[in-house]
């Protein structure tokens, strides 16, 4: 008898441009489509990945030709999202005033992720920001 097969960690390197954010979200959707209950992560995971990828593009002090790596994996029953970049800056949640057009991305990550953090990359160049996403409870209709 074959054991249930679960997709392994997925990783892709993308150009460090904001117009690659939709591609990152598409890759996440494709990864989740291969999971038995992947749709339970999709809504929150896509939003968080979009914010983390956009932050890596906009706030990294890495050279423009450096790629951004996205990784997805299910750990236990949590989806782990990672966004790697070659920049040295560390993300921090800030308070945005109502008129600010930017500055709410990490606030959303902080509110919607079960946990999140930032770690240095192995090799000493850059960092990765990670977030854990809990599965949404199934909707019960009566």
């Amino acid at each position: 008898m074959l054991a249930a097969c679960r997709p392994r960690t997925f990783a892709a390197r993308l150009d460090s441009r904001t117009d690659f954010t939709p591609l990152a979200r598409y890759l996440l959707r494709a990864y989740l489509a291969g999971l038995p209950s992947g749709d339970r992560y999709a809504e929150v995971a896509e939003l968080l990945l979009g914010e983390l990828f956009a932050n890596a593009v906009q706030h990294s002090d890495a050279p423009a030709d450096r790629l951004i790596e996205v990784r997805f994996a299910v750990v236990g029953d949590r989806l782990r999202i990672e966004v790697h970049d070659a920049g040295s800056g560390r993300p921090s949640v800030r308070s945005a005033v109502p008129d600010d057009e930017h500055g709410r991305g990490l606030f959303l990550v902080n509110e919607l992720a079960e946990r999140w953090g930032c770690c240095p990359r192995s090799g000493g160049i850059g960092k990765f920001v990670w977030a854990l996403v809990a599965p949404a409870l199934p909707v019960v209709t009566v």
Side-chain angles (χ1 to χ4, degrees):
M1 183 168 154
L2 293 173
C5 196
R6 176 178 288 208
R8 299 188 186 285
T9 299
F10 174 85
R13 292 186 178 136
L14 306 173
D15 285 350
S16 181
R17 299 186 354 218
T18 53
D19 57 338
F20 274 72
T21 306
L23 177 57
R25 288 192 305 255
Y26 171 81
L27 293 171
L28 175 61
R29 277 193 306 275
Y31 173 80
L32 293 174
L35 298 175
S37 297
D39 58 327
R40 293 179 59 199
Y41 301 100
E43 188 174 336
V44 171
E46 282 189 54
L47 177 63
L48 297 183
L49 176 61
E51 294 298 336
L52 295 177
F53 191 89
N55 279 352
V57 171
Q58 294 169 356
H59 301 295
S60 177
D61 57 359
D65 65 342
R66 302 295 175 173
L67 299 175
I68 294 175
E69 183 172 308
V70 294
R71 292 185 190 176
F72 322 126
V74 174
V75 179
D77 68 342
R78 301 302 189 250
L79 174 66
R80 182 178 172 97
I81 298 170
E82 296 179 7
V83 177
H84 297 240
D85 69 67
S88 62
R90 308 268 301 179
S92 62
V93 179
R94 68 180 199 108
S95 298
V97 296
D99 291 345
D100 284 345
E101 293 183 21
H102 303 285
R104 293 177 182 81
L106 282 179
F107 174 79
L108 288 173
V109 171
N110 195 53
E111 292 298 309
L112 297 175
E114 185 173 88
R115 289 183 304 161
W116 72 279
C118 181
C119 300
R121 290 173 61 191
S122 62
I125 298 174
K127 66 179 172 306
F128 67 94
V129 181
W130 57 271
L132 289 180
V133 179
L137 297 175
V139 177
V140 178
T141 57
V142 285

